Amino acid sequence: MRLFATAFQAHATIQALASRYQGFILDQFGVLHNGQHALPGAVELVEYLARANKKLIILSNTSSPAHTTLQRLPGLGFNPDHFIGAVTSGDEASKLIRETYGGGNCDENGRRDDDKADIGPKRFVWFTWGKGNSNAPSPLHFLKQCGHVEPTLSVEEADFVVAHGSGVIRGPGLSDDDGDIGFQSMGSFL
């Protein structure tokens, strides 16, 4: 199995390129779509590669989880069954936070359920998306994936910083129904 080409070579057709590899890692934004619509030829390319039994995976710097990335594909004209999966920076960041700061075993709500449950959570300043942004990933889903950590609006209390979005600074309110207490505008924070 070839992982890397031995030398750069221009190919006149996708068929010539596809015949050389068993799989393709594709970025999504700017390669497959523009956030609203598939880019010209992208759906046809994915269909061609799938018919040729190529393994396709999405690699993206989106803060959305992989399952959200795959769920959005049909609305953009792609068949999600053509992809074996997706890897996103949101998933990878939440894993790293969980391993580094969120420690131990956590339940589905990100709470510790082991013998260290009495240890207080690590706190972080959280730049994220505001309420009502339909294109933004769920901040609360991200928080649950991070483990036993808690957002704060105080830089002095923070153990680390997460830039998950650019809409608001999210504080200790842990539901979207907490009113404005859990949010601070970017402008007032700076």
Side-chain angles (χ1 to χ4, degrees), residues 1 30 56 68 70 87 97 151-152 163 174 183 186:
M1 177 168 89
L56 305 176
T68 301
L70 295 171
V87 177
I97 291 167
T152 180
L174 298 180
F183 299 90
M186 296 287 279

Side-chain angles (χ1 to χ4, degrees), residues 52-130:
N53 295 316
K54 303 301 177 181
K55 291 179 172 64
L56 305 176
I57 191 163
I58 294 173
L59 178 63
S60 180
N61 66 343
T62 181
S63 57
S64 295
H67 73 270
T68 301
T69 294
L70 295 171
Q71 288 172 349
R72 290 188 69 208
L73 292 175
L76 297 165
F78 297 94
N79 181 343
D81 294 335
H82 292 335
F83 296 88
I84 61 171
V87 177
T88 69
S89 62
D91 277 345
E92 294 305 309
S94 65
K95 285 179 198 172
L96 180 65
I97 291 167
R98 184 184 198 111
E99 291 168 5
T100 306
Y101 299 104
N105 299 317
C106 298
D107 65 17
E108 64 277 357
N109 294 313
R111 304 288 185 244
R112 293 284 290 263
D113 63 0
D114 59 13
D115 61 347
K116 297 180 182 174
D118 59 334
I119 298 172
K122 295 289 186 178
R123 292 189 171 88
F124 65 101
V125 173
W126 189 14
F127 297 84
T128 189
W129 305 106

Side-chain angles (χ1 to χ4, degrees), residues 162-175:
V162 173
H164 177 244
S166 59
V168 298
I169 308 299
R170 182 118 188 196
L174 298 180
S175 89

Side-chain angles (χ1 to χ4, degrees), residues 138-155:
S138 167
L140 296 180
H141 175 81
F142 177 81
L143 180 61
K144 287 178 184 178
Q145 299 305 310
C146 290
H148 190 59
V149 296
E150 184 177 285
T152 180
L153 294 173
S154 169
V155 173

Side-chain angles (χ1 to χ4, degrees), residues 8-48:
F8 180 80
Q9 181 179 0
H11 298 279
T13 66
I14 189 62
Q15 293 85 356
L17 179 66
S19 67
R20 295 181 58 133
Y21 301 98
Q22 295 177 354
F24 292 83
I25 300 170
L26 304 169
D27 187 19
Q28 64 174 340
F29 194 83
V31 174
L32 296 176
H33 62 80
N34 64 8
Q36 301 292 320
H37 307 286
L39 294 176
V43 171
E44 295 81 6
L45 172 64
V46 167
E47 289 173 355
Y48 170 80

